[in-house]
Amino acid sequence: MRTDLVDLDWLTRSGGREDVVELALSASSMVMWRLALSDGTLRWSPGFAEVLGLPGADGAALGARLRELLAPMTTAAHTATVWQDLELEQPSVAFDGATRWVHFRARIVDEDGQRALVGIATDVTDRHESRQALADLAERYRALVELGPDAIAVHQDGFVVYANPAALRSMRATSSADVIGLRISDFVHPDSVPEMMGRLATLDALGAASEPAEAAMVRLDGGVFPAESVSVRTMWEGRPAFQVILRDISAQKASEAALRQAEQHYTTVVSALEEGVLVVGATGLVESVNPAAERILGVTAADVADSELSNSALMGPVGQTRRTGRSQNGRAVRVRRPDGRQVWISLSCHPLDAETGAPYATVASFTDITEQRAIGQRLAYEASHDPLTGLANRALAIQRITAVRGTTRTAVLFVDLDKFKVINDSLGHAIGDRVLKVAGERLRRAVRSTDLVSRLGGDEFAVMAADVTGPDQVRSLAERVGAALREPVAIDGRQLHLDASVGIVVAEPADPRTAEELLRDADLAMYQAKTRGRGRHEFFDVALRERMQRRLGLEQDLRAATDNDELWVAYQPVVQLPTGRMVGVEALLRWNHPVHGPISPAEFIPVAEESGLILEIGPHTLWETSHEVARRRAVTHPDLHVAVNLSPAQLDDPGLCSTVRAALDSSGLPASALCLEITESMLMRDQAAATQRLNALRELGVRLAIDDFGTGYSSLAQLRRLPLDTLKIDQSFVNGLGESRDADAIVRSIIAMAHAVDLTVVAEGVETEQQLEVLQQFGCDLAQGFHFGRPTVQPDTFPA
């Protein structure tokens, strides 16, 4: 065997041979080689070492590598025929460790009876790698198609030739045999076929992939589902075909539909809200406003859309939420509208998505509270002010007095209008209200601007003066108040005259009394001023409080007086003029206190009326009197009549008639023998209600008398409208009879007026013979007083 070598002469000699030339033309770059099959001689042309990646290798090493690489081809050549071509592709590890792929191509030749392999070797490493990459890509594509979630089908000439597993699942097929061979149009809803065919025609003409499009697909079981499809031109078994990629978008469609319901619902709800809703994006631009927001803010959506929030009142809260992501709730904000009107809104701001980070998109919701705020302010004003005069009420007075207590010397003046009740009862509440307004305004003008004037109720007012220097300054204030109220009040052509009784309390900063206690003590001082002659002012002192404590004690004791038999009835005779014969008695209640002894009716009757105890004592007195007089009528005085006084509280009591009826029924006293006495002031309080109650009493058969006539404002017309039987002339007029022509004229007029309306006249407080004679001359019917007898315990002690 010859030594392996590079034989340039052989290459030159064989260059003209047809077999070598033909092989050479099939390769773009190559090296040539020759292997004698008989003796194994191997020759090659230069460059083989570089093809194998063995530069610098010696001939022996290079020959050994070539023989190793050509071994499969050598074996095949021994059984092959002459001129048969053989091909082989082998890897070879180069010096650098990389693998080189070498393609060997050879032809079996006969040279002078000797068989040999003549061939070429080509470095196909790049092509091999490309082919491997292509194979890898094909595998990856196969895996993608076979395992991917999208349905993929190939149709050729309108018939399905391939469907991946996802497509089989989408079509509800159990195997590819269920779909292969069916028309692709069988899986498309008729409504979507025209569009699909149009896309395929366009695709066929342009040779490109179609744009994603939606189509309604039909499953093998007849079910229809929406899909997004893309068609791509491809090859199938060497012929043109179309590959269709389908994605089931049922869930997407359902989500989109749900979102469109939700959005429509949201839009409808937000549009219908009375609450304004404004959305500001993360960029600070207004994204949406609902109709309520347009109405409240006085803007249109077009005015503010895609613009920065320009309303400064809203910018603050909204901007704070955009910066911090913190919600704000119920902030009261005053907003100026473009038309200049100001509205109050209750504003809440919330970030739309707290996870995005600052700046946050923000939704602001708000309601118009302008009216509510005005109502609230009005209610707050009404809760702290008197509706008639506009002055502070009792609650505000107490609040203001409390606020300055402990910091400064404070004076509290309790002002009560004298004779106001007479004006109110005689002229009506409308006139009385106008008088109260005038009085309140005059009080306001009479004090300092820092002083507080309040109406406590009825005709009672209070003045709170802080930072007073001492009693002299307060006394001067009280005098100004009195002088202002004494000025005549002109109403409807009348000149009305007022006066005031003022009680004063001066409290040092360390005074422990509360505002309520200061008002209470000022009230006590006012009561003292009124009892001393009205139109006066009095400072509160401890002795006054002691007297009031006695009064409170009397009230407590009076509650038990009935049960302890401390109350008793005295009877004063009523005589007929001019005969002097006793025809009746007046029942007068007395109290014998177990500690203080006899208590004057002038002291305990007001206590009973103010505390409401009169509603217990009055029925008790009526019951006892009717039983006692009934017994005397049966024994000594068969024609005896009795007069019993009614208090204002009793006249207002709806159960009065029942009480009177029960007393008469149980005692057997005839109703005509009972006379109930009321005062003029009681009639003037509510004349309509009083008349109704008196008519009900009259229906029982009892007689009715008006007591203390002449001290009020009763007129003949008023007397004619009332169901009265008797008129009693007040003692103050009787005292002057025979000594004062004015007294004589007044009494004569009263008697004449009473007789004109058929009333019986009774003169009270007759104490002298002269008074009796004058009354007889004037034609008075009846009289009572010390001249005829003092009140005694039993009516049977009086002469018959």
Side-chain angles (χ1 to χ4, degrees):
M1 180 182 296
R2 296 183 60 184
T3 305
D4 298 331
L5 52 83
V6 176
D7 188 350
L8 295 178
D9 293 337
W10 165 77
L11 179 62
T12 303
R13 291 195 303 269
S14 63
R17 295 184 55 173
E18 180 181 354
D19 53 346
V20 176
V21 173
E22 183 179 348
L23 291 173
L25 291 176
S26 65
S28 57
S29 62
M30 66 176 185
V31 289
M32 299 180 64
W33 57 273
R34 178 182 183 280
L35 175 63
L37 297 177
S38 58
D39 58 7
T41 301
L42 178 63
R43 298 179 180 182
W44 60 87
S45 64
F48 229 126
E50 284 72 15
V51 171
L52 297 181
L54 302 174
D58 59 19
L62 189 59
R65 175 66 59 87
L66 277 174
R67 293 182 183 279
E68 178 184 351
L69 295 175
L70 293 173
M73 185 179 285
T74 303
T75 301
H78 285 291
T79 59
T81 61
V82 177
W83 300 108
Q84 182 176 346
D85 291 340
L86 300 177
E87 285 189 86
L88 177 67
E89 194 170 286
Q90 289 280 64
S92 174
V93 179
F95 284 158
D96 60 5
T99 299
R100 293 287 185 92
W101 286 89
V102 182
H103 183 265
F104 295 94
R105 188 175 184 189
R107 178 172 294 171
I108 300 174
V109 298
D110 187 345
E111 297 177 344
D112 301 327
Q114 298 292 322
R115 292 165 61 91
L117 283 175
V118 178
I120 60 175
T122 307
D123 184 356
V124 293
T125 302
D126 290 343
R127 186 178 67 188
H128 183 86
E129 291 178 349
S130 297
R131 189 164 58 243
Q132 185 61 45
L134 183 60
D136 292 343
L137 178 61
E139 178 60 23
R140 289 196 297 271
Y141 176 75
R142 184 198 65 79
L144 179 64
V145 170
E146 292 292 323
L147 303 178
D150 292 335
I152 300 176
V154 177
H155 61 94
Q156 189 178 60
D157 299 328
F159 294 93
V160 177
V161 294
Y162 170 80
N164 74 341
L168 297 179
R169 290 193 298 270
S170 296
M171 298 304 171
R172 300 292 190 266
T174 58
S175 68
S176 59
D178 294 338
V179 298
I180 299 300
L182 297 179
R183 289 186 175 275
I184 188 65
S185 59
D186 293 340
F187 298 96
V188 182
H189 191 274
D191 293 342
S192 297
V193 168
E195 182 180 356
M196 183 198 72
M197 298 306 294
R199 291 203 311 271
L200 291 179
T202 302
L203 180 62
D204 192 40
L206 297 178
S210 67
E211 293 294 329
E214 293 184 9
M217 306 303 296
V218 180
R219 297 187 175 99
L220 291 176
D221 60 9
V224 178
F225 66 95
E228 183 181 71
S229 67
V230 174
S231 295
V232 181
R233 290 196 63 183
T234 187
M235 298 294 290
W236 184 263
E237 295 181 350
R239 294 179 56 226
F242 294 98
Q243 177 176 282
V244 180
I245 303 171
L246 295 173
R247 177 169 296 171
D248 188 339
I249 58 174
S250 299
Q252 176 184 337
K253 285 293 185 179
S255 299
E256 291 175 353
L259 180 61
R260 287 194 302 273
Q261 289 165 355
E263 290 180 347
Q264 182 179 5
H265 179 71
Y266 169 79
T267 302
T268 302
V269 170
V270 170
S271 297
L273 288 176
E274 289 296 320
E275 184 179 31
V277 178
L278 182 147
V279 177
V280 178
T283 61
L285 301 182
V286 177
E287 295 183 351
S288 66
V289 292
N290 72 339
E294 294 178 295
R295 183 181 67 255
I296 295 171
L297 301 179
V299 299
T300 65
D303 294 334
V304 297
D306 298 325
S307 63
E308 292 186 351
L309 192 62
S310 61
N311 196 298
S312 58
L314 292 176
M315 287 175 63
V318 173
Q320 184 175 353
T321 297
R322 286 186 62 244
R323 291 190 303 272
T324 66
R326 291 194 294 270
S327 297
Q328 303 176 65
N329 296 297
R331 289 188 56 175
V333 177
R334 184 172 61 182
V335 176
R336 181 180 294 276
R337 292 160 43 111
D339 59 10
R341 188 164 70 90
Q342 292 185 341
V343 295
W344 282 91
I345 62 173
S346 177
L347 173 68
S348 296
C349 300
H350 304 280
L352 283 176
D353 187 352
E355 304 300 325
T356 60
Y360 299 88
T362 301
V363 59
S365 59
F366 46 89
T367 56
D368 187 346
I369 59 171
T370 306
E371 184 176 355
Q372 294 93 316
R373 188 178 178 90
I375 292 174
Q377 292 175 337
R378 184 167 67 250
L379 290 176
Y381 179 86
E382 291 174 354
S384 59
H385 288 77
D386 173 54
L388 177 64
T389 62
L391 299 174
N393 62 10
R394 187 182 193 91
L396 183 57
I398 291 175
Q399 178 183 337
R400 292 286 297 276
I401 295 171
T402 302
V404 300
R405 292 294 301 113
T407 60
T408 179
R409 181 186 289 118
T410 305
V412 177
L413 283 67
F414 197 106
V415 182
D416 184 88
L417 301 182
D418 297 332
K419 301 179 182 178
F420 173 75
K421 183 173 178 56
V422 176
I423 295 174
N424 202 44
D425 291 346
S426 61
L427 301 180
H429 293 289
I431 297 296
D433 288 347
R434 293 169 66 181
V435 171
L436 289 174
K437 290 181 180 179
V438 172
E441 183 58 33
R442 289 183 177 180
L443 284 172
R444 201 197 312 260
R445 293 200 305 264
V447 303
R448 302 173 302 178
S449 60
T450 56
D451 297 338
L452 176 71
V453 178
S454 59
R455 183 188 175 205
L456 304 180
D459 60 347
E460 296 177 341
F461 298 83
V463 176
M464 187 277 291
D467 297 324
V468 296
T469 57
D472 290 342
Q473 182 186 10
V474 179
R475 185 177 292 106
S476 175
L477 175 61
E479 290 172 352
R480 291 201 309 273
V481 166
L485 293 175
R486 280 192 293 272
E487 295 180 9
V489 179
I491 295 181
D492 294 343
R494 292 187 177 93
Q495 289 287 329
L496 303 180
H497 297 272
L498 296 174
D499 213 333
S501 297
V502 181
I504 305 170
V505 170
V506 178
E508 298 296 330
D511 196 309
R513 287 176 289 181
T514 64
E516 292 87 345
E517 291 170 337
L518 292 178
L519 280 173
R520 177 203 63 195
D521 290 345
D523 188 8
L524 296 178
M526 181 279 297
Y527 181 79
Q528 180 73 0
K530 192 175 289 290
T531 58
R532 290 185 175 179
R534 304 177 186 271
R536 299 167 55 90
H537 62 266
E538 292 287 343
F539 282 83
F540 174 82
D541 58 24
V542 177
L544 178 59
R545 178 180 294 162
E546 292 175 350
R547 290 193 296 273
M548 293 307 299
Q549 289 174 344
R550 169 182 165 85
R551 181 184 180 281
L552 292 176
L554 289 179
E555 178 181 334
Q556 297 301 318
D557 295 341
L558 188 57
R559 294 182 182 276
T562 300
D563 295 336
N564 297 336
D565 294 328
E566 297 170 11
L567 297 175
W568 56 279
V569 180
Y571 299 91
Q572 186 175 32
V574 178
V575 302
Q576 188 181 51
L577 299 180
T579 65
R581 184 172 69 88
M582 188 187 73
V583 294
V585 293
E586 180 177 4
L588 302 172
L589 187 63
R590 297 292 185 262
W591 183 17
N592 188 24
H593 195 279
V595 176
H596 303 298
I599 305 296
S600 168
E603 184 176 11
F604 79 80
I605 291 297
V607 172
E609 290 180 344
E610 293 174 12
S611 65
L613 290 172
I614 196 67
L615 293 178
E616 299 178 13
I617 296 174
H620 171 78
T621 303
L622 180 61
W623 185 278
E624 183 174 311
T625 297
S626 26
H627 281 75
E628 179 65 29
V629 172
R631 286 194 296 270
R632 293 307 126 195
R633 283 172 63 92
V635 178
T636 58
H637 296 76
D639 298 326
L640 187 65
H641 292 70
V642 64
V644 180
N645 292 297
L646 291 180
S647 72
Q650 285 179 280
L651 187 61
D652 292 338
D653 183 13
L656 176 61
C657 290
S658 299
T659 300
V660 173
R661 182 186 297 108
L664 294 176
D665 291 345
S666 63
S667 65
L669 182 69
S672 60
L674 176 63
C675 181
L676 299 177
E677 296 185 356
I678 58 176
T679 63
E680 285 186 275
S681 60
M682 291 166 60
L683 294 174
M684 296 302 105
R685 290 168 64 242
D686 189 344
Q687 190 167 353
T691 302
Q692 182 179 6
R693 196 65 46 79
L694 294 178
N695 285 328
L697 291 171
R698 189 62 177 275
E699 291 178 0
L700 294 178
V702 300
R703 298 163 61 210
L704 300 172
I706 183 167
D707 197 8
D708 300 332
F709 188 82
T711 60
Y713 286 83
S714 298
S715 65
L716 177 61
Q718 290 170 322
L719 294 179
R720 291 183 63 185
R721 289 193 295 268
L722 298 173
L724 300 174
D725 299 285
T726 302
L727 182 150
K728 301 186 73 171
I729 302 175
D730 188 69
Q731 182 180 357
S732 61
F733 298 107
V734 175
N735 286 340
L737 290 178
E739 297 178 358
S740 168
R741 289 192 298 179
D742 290 341
D744 290 353
I746 292 174
V747 171
R748 187 196 301 270
S749 299
I750 291 175
I751 294 173
M753 181 178 63
H755 286 166
V757 292
D758 297 326
L759 296 180
T760 299
V761 180
V762 181
E764 296 181 293
V766 178
E767 298 181 353
T768 67
E769 186 67 28
Q770 181 181 8
Q771 294 169 353
L772 175 59
E773 292 176 355
V774 173
L775 290 171
Q776 289 174 331
Q777 292 174 9
F778 291 165
C780 186
D781 302 305
L782 303 171
Q784 65 184 84
F786 291 168
H787 182 69
F788 305 106
R790 293 179 177 274
T792 61
V793 180
Q794 299 295 341
D796 58 350
T797 59
F798 298 123

